[in-house]
Every structure is written in C-alpha cells, then in structure tokens.
Amino acid sequence: MVEVHTSAQGVKNSMLVCVTGAIGSGKTTAIKIIRQQGFQTFVMDDYIHKIYQKNQIGYKLIAKHFGKSYLTPIEVNRKALGQLVFSKPNALRKLDQLMIPLMRAQLQALLDQNNLCYVELGIYFLHESKFKKYFSKIIFIDAKTALKNTNLEKKMAHIEKFPTKIVGNSKLSIKTSKNNRLFVVENHKNLNYFKKHLINIL
C-alpha cells in the first residue's frame, strides 16, 4: 500500500485538496510544508511508483499494452517508457487511458477514509474533467520561469522515472478554467515567503 502521511490531529473533514503546478514549481516543497502543519498528504507519483513494481497492476498493464521491452526484472523501465510517451502522442494517450482510472480509484479510496487530505497531482489541469469531482479545492503552485528552470535541472531524473508528469505550462488551463475553488500560491521569492502564503490558505 502506498504511504499516506497522516496527522495526529484526527481531522474529521471529508475532502481532498489538490496541490498541482508545472514541473519544478515547488509542489513537493508545498506537500512537505503541509505535512509539517499536521495534515494528511498523499503523492500520486508515489502511488504510480508502487504499482510499477513487479507483479503490481501497473507493471502488468505496461507488459500487456507496451511489451516486455519496457520492463526490468523488478519494475517498469520508467526511463524507456518515458522516452516513448514523450516522443509519441499516441503512446502517451494509451498510458493515460491505463493509469488515470487507477488514479481515480485511489482518489475515491482516499475520499472514503473520511479525512481531509492534500494530494499532489501534477497532471490535474491536463485532465481536469477526469479529476475535478474528487477535489473540494485546488492549490496551484505558480513559480517564475527562472525558478522553474533551476528546479527542473535538479529534477530531470524524476521526469524519466515518473512519465505521468507532463512537461508543460498549466497556466493556460487555469486561464480558461471556470473552477472557482482555485487558489494560486506564488513561489517567486524565498522559502519563508512561499510557506507563509501557502499556510494562509490551508
């Protein structure tokens, strides 16, 4: 089972809050800050990593639909799969068709726990119609291009490891979104500035 970080506060609210943003915007930092405030958190990429292990459902689906060349003896070859889906749109669509239903099922399982939980889901705005019903609030982490580029250099390996993370600018989706539950947190300055503004909307 994928680790869900919980608090000792016993929060009774039954709702999910999505933490999303572009690659390198600061989603992982945001989740750490939220966890430090005593809230339950869940990282969807950790779930994907878990089901890509041998004999897990993700591993079996990749074997069936993409072939054994995208597997290692212990897990999905995320580097090879990532190279495929980022170069061939049809392959990416197929991967989404396989993984998104599993992600949706996991979100429903979190809802069924009847707790408040903050979920890091980087691809939310790329598939908003499939995910929006699960979330009561959306927190979008907005970083300047320079900051994102700096963080991106540090995270290149993770792009290969987790091909469900899409490289792109989610701001375009936000501008056209009619979602009035959206909160934008700027990650333009230092960590203390970011932390203060994030905590204000928790």
Side-chain angles (χ1 to χ4, degrees), residues 7-16 38-40 110-117:
S7 75
Q9 295 178 355
V11 180
K12 296 181 180 180
N13 307 63
S14 178
M15 60 180 286
L16 300 184
F39 293 104
Q40 177 177 323
L110 290 172
L111 272 177
D112 291 343
Q113 292 180 5
N114 294 319
N115 288 319
L116 170 62
C117 183

mmCIF file of all heavy atoms in Angstrom, residues 7-16 38-40 110-117:
data_model
loop_
_atom_site.group_PDB
_atom_site.id
_atom_site.type_symbol
_atom_site.label_atom_id
_atom_site.label_comp_id
_atom_site.label_asym_id
_atom_site.label_seq_id
_atom_site.Cartn_x
_atom_site.Cartn_y
_atom_site.Cartn_z
ATOM 1 N N SER A 7 -1.795 12.915 10.134
ATOM 2 C CA SER A 7 -1.511 13.719 11.317
ATOM 3 C C SER A 7 -2.123 13.064 12.537
ATOM 4 O O SER A 7 -2.945 12.167 12.439
ATOM 5 C CB SER A 7 -2.107 15.124 11.158
ATOM 6 O OG SER A 7 -3.504 15.076 11.323
ATOM 7 N N ALA A 8 -1.699 13.542 13.692
ATOM 8 C CA ALA A 8 -2.261 13.043 14.954
ATOM 9 C C ALA A 8 -3.435 13.890 15.396
ATOM 10 O O ALA A 8 -3.979 13.696 16.473
ATOM 11 C CB ALA A 8 -1.168 13.041 16.031
ATOM 12 N N GLN A 9 -3.842 14.815 14.541
ATOM 13 C CA GLN A 9 -4.888 15.740 14.943
ATOM 14 C C GLN A 9 -6.288 15.149 14.798
ATOM 15 O O GLN A 9 -7.250 15.674 15.348
ATOM 16 C CB GLN A 9 -4.792 17.023 14.092
ATOM 17 C CG GLN A 9 -3.516 17.803 14.338
ATOM 18 C CD GLN A 9 -3.426 19.027 13.449
ATOM 19 O OE1 GLN A 9 -4.269 19.243 12.575
ATOM 20 N NE2 GLN A 9 -2.419 19.837 13.663
ATOM 21 N N GLY A 10 -6.405 14.072 14.003
ATOM 22 C CA GLY A 10 -7.707 13.459 13.831
ATOM 23 C C GLY A 10 -8.687 14.341 13.099
ATOM 24 O O GLY A 10 -9.822 14.509 13.525
ATOM 25 N N VAL A 11 -8.244 14.955 12.016
ATOM 26 C CA VAL A 11 -9.115 15.839 11.253
ATOM 27 C C VAL A 11 -10.333 15.076 10.750
ATOM 28 O O VAL A 11 -10.218 14.008 10.189
ATOM 29 C CB VAL A 11 -8.337 16.434 10.054
ATOM 30 C CG1 VAL A 11 -9.236 17.356 9.257
ATOM 31 C CG2 VAL A 11 -7.119 17.196 10.566
ATOM 32 N N LYS A 12 -11.517 15.653 10.933
ATOM 33 C CA LYS A 12 -12.741 14.950 10.586
ATOM 34 C C LYS A 12 -13.302 15.360 9.228
ATOM 35 O O LYS A 12 -14.226 14.734 8.732
ATOM 36 C CB LYS A 12 -13.791 15.188 11.676
ATOM 37 C CG LYS A 12 -13.397 14.606 13.037
ATOM 38 C CD LYS A 12 -14.487 14.847 14.057
ATOM 39 C CE LYS A 12 -14.095 14.254 15.413
ATOM 40 N NZ LYS A 12 -15.144 14.476 16.440
ATOM 41 N N ASN A 13 -12.758 16.419 8.636
ATOM 42 C CA ASN A 13 -13.273 16.875 7.354
ATOM 43 C C ASN A 13 -13.077 15.805 6.296
ATOM 44 O O ASN A 13 -12.007 15.241 6.153
ATOM 45 C CB ASN A 13 -12.527 18.143 6.926
ATOM 46 C CG ASN A 13 -12.547 19.209 7.995
ATOM 47 O OD1 ASN A 13 -12.007 18.992 9.072
ATOM 48 N ND2 ASN A 13 -13.150 20.325 7.696
ATOM 49 N N SER A 14 -14.135 15.538 5.528
ATOM 50 C CA SER A 14 -14.045 14.565 4.449
ATOM 51 C C SER A 14 -13.911 15.329 3.140
ATOM 52 O O SER A 14 -14.905 15.691 2.515
ATOM 53 C CB SER A 14 -15.286 13.674 4.428
ATOM 54 O OG SER A 14 -15.216 12.760 3.348
ATOM 55 N N MET A 15 -12.675 15.598 2.728
ATOM 56 C CA MET A 15 -12.450 16.318 1.493
ATOM 57 C C MET A 15 -11.011 16.123 1.036
ATOM 58 O O MET A 15 -10.119 15.829 1.832
ATOM 59 C CB MET A 15 -12.723 17.812 1.656
ATOM 60 C CG MET A 15 -11.861 18.507 2.684
ATOM 61 S SD MET A 15 -12.220 20.286 2.863
ATOM 62 C CE MET A 15 -11.490 20.932 1.361
ATOM 63 N N LEU A 16 -10.811 16.259 -0.274
ATOM 64 C CA LEU A 16 -9.481 16.206 -0.846
ATOM 65 C C LEU A 16 -9.137 17.579 -1.413
ATOM 66 O O LEU A 16 -9.984 18.251 -1.990
ATOM 67 C CB LEU A 16 -9.402 15.159 -1.968
ATOM 68 C CG LEU A 16 -9.710 13.714 -1.603
ATOM 69 C CD1 LEU A 16 -9.485 12.811 -2.824
ATOM 70 C CD2 LEU A 16 -8.877 13.228 -0.429
ATOM 71 N N GLY A 38 0.722 19.291 10.074
ATOM 72 C CA GLY A 38 -0.075 18.252 10.714
ATOM 73 C C GLY A 38 -1.189 17.680 9.872
ATOM 74 O O GLY A 38 -2.064 16.969 10.393
ATOM 75 N N PHE A 39 -1.172 17.958 8.560
ATOM 76 C CA PHE A 39 -2.240 17.468 7.689
ATOM 77 C C PHE A 39 -1.831 16.171 6.990
ATOM 78 O O PHE A 39 -0.652 15.915 6.754
ATOM 79 C CB PHE A 39 -2.584 18.516 6.627
ATOM 80 C CG PHE A 39 -3.207 19.760 7.190
ATOM 81 C CD1 PHE A 39 -2.463 20.927 7.322
ATOM 82 C CD2 PHE A 39 -4.537 19.779 7.587
ATOM 83 C CE1 PHE A 39 -3.029 22.084 7.839
ATOM 84 C CE2 PHE A 39 -5.117 20.926 8.106
ATOM 85 C CZ PHE A 39 -4.359 22.083 8.234
ATOM 86 N N GLN A 40 -2.829 15.387 6.631
ATOM 87 C CA GLN A 40 -2.604 14.171 5.863
ATOM 88 C C GLN A 40 -2.260 14.543 4.421
ATOM 89 O O GLN A 40 -2.865 15.440 3.842
ATOM 90 C CB GLN A 40 -3.859 13.298 5.880
ATOM 91 C CG GLN A 40 -3.766 12.031 5.035
ATOM 92 C CD GLN A 40 -5.015 11.179 5.165
ATOM 93 O OE1 GLN A 40 -5.598 11.079 6.240
ATOM 94 N NE2 GLN A 40 -5.420 10.559 4.066
ATOM 95 N N LEU A 110 -9.248 7.441 -1.040
ATOM 96 C CA LEU A 110 -8.888 8.479 -0.073
ATOM 97 C C LEU A 110 -10.126 9.199 0.442
ATOM 98 O O LEU A 110 -10.244 9.485 1.642
ATOM 99 C CB LEU A 110 -7.928 9.480 -0.715
ATOM 100 C CG LEU A 110 -6.515 8.985 -1.011
ATOM 101 C CD1 LEU A 110 -5.749 10.033 -1.822
ATOM 102 C CD2 LEU A 110 -5.768 8.667 0.279
ATOM 103 N N LEU A 111 -11.057 9.485 -0.455
ATOM 104 C CA LEU A 111 -12.307 10.117 -0.032
ATOM 105 C C LEU A 111 -13.059 9.243 0.952
ATOM 106 O O LEU A 111 -13.653 9.737 1.915
ATOM 107 C CB LEU A 111 -13.186 10.395 -1.254
ATOM 108 C CG LEU A 111 -12.999 11.721 -1.979
ATOM 109 C CD1 LEU A 111 -13.911 11.783 -3.194
ATOM 110 C CD2 LEU A 111 -13.287 12.896 -1.053
ATOM 111 N N ASP A 112 -13.055 7.961 0.721
ATOM 112 C CA ASP A 112 -13.784 7.023 1.568
ATOM 113 C C ASP A 112 -13.217 6.939 2.984
ATOM 114 O O ASP A 112 -13.871 6.407 3.884
ATOM 115 C CB ASP A 112 -13.790 5.630 0.935
ATOM 116 C CG ASP A 112 -14.631 5.575 -0.338
ATOM 117 O OD1 ASP A 112 -15.446 6.497 -0.554
ATOM 118 O OD2 ASP A 112 -14.452 4.628 -1.130
ATOM 119 N N GLN A 113 -11.989 7.448 3.177
ATOM 120 C CA GLN A 113 -11.400 7.445 4.513
ATOM 121 C C GLN A 113 -12.000 8.524 5.413
ATOM 122 O O GLN A 113 -11.737 8.548 6.614
ATOM 123 C CB GLN A 113 -9.885 7.658 4.413
ATOM 124 C CG GLN A 113 -9.141 6.509 3.773
ATOM 125 C CD GLN A 113 -7.647 6.755 3.682
ATOM 126 O OE1 GLN A 113 -7.135 7.758 4.193
ATOM 127 N NE2 GLN A 113 -6.939 5.862 3.034
ATOM 128 N N ASN A 114 -12.802 9.433 4.803
ATOM 129 C CA ASN A 114 -13.472 10.489 5.569
ATOM 130 C C ASN A 114 -12.499 11.381 6.340
ATOM 131 O O ASN A 114 -12.726 11.719 7.504
ATOM 132 C CB ASN A 114 -14.500 9.882 6.538
ATOM 133 C CG ASN A 114 -15.638 9.217 5.797
ATOM 134 O OD1 ASN A 114 -16.127 9.741 4.789
ATOM 135 N ND2 ASN A 114 -16.046 8.055 6.267
ATOM 136 N N ASN A 115 -11.404 11.738 5.683
ATOM 137 C CA ASN A 115 -10.432 12.653 6.270
ATOM 138 C C ASN A 115 -10.126 13.775 5.294
ATOM 139 O O ASN A 115 -10.365 13.656 4.087
ATOM 140 C CB ASN A 115 -9.123 11.925 6.602
ATOM 141 C CG ASN A 115 -9.264 11.002 7.793
ATOM 142 O OD1 ASN A 115 -9.902 11.332 8.785
ATOM 143 N ND2 ASN A 115 -8.661 9.826 7.690
ATOM 144 N N LEU A 116 -9.567 14.842 5.810
ATOM 145 C CA LEU A 116 -9.017 15.900 4.970
ATOM 146 C C LEU A 116 -7.640 15.446 4.502
ATOM 147 O O LEU A 116 -6.795 15.075 5.314
ATOM 148 C CB LEU A 116 -8.893 17.203 5.761
ATOM 149 C CG LEU A 116 -8.115 18.340 5.110
ATOM 150 C CD1 LEU A 116 -8.769 18.788 3.806
ATOM 151 C CD2 LEU A 116 -7.982 19.511 6.074
ATOM 152 N N CYS A 117 -7.401 15.465 3.192
ATOM 153 C CA CYS A 117 -6.126 15.011 2.657
ATOM 154 C C CYS A 117 -5.698 15.917 1.514
ATOM 155 O O CYS A 117 -6.496 16.252 0.631
ATOM 156 C CB CYS A 117 -6.235 13.563 2.164
ATOM 157 S SG CYS A 117 -4.674 12.868 1.559
#
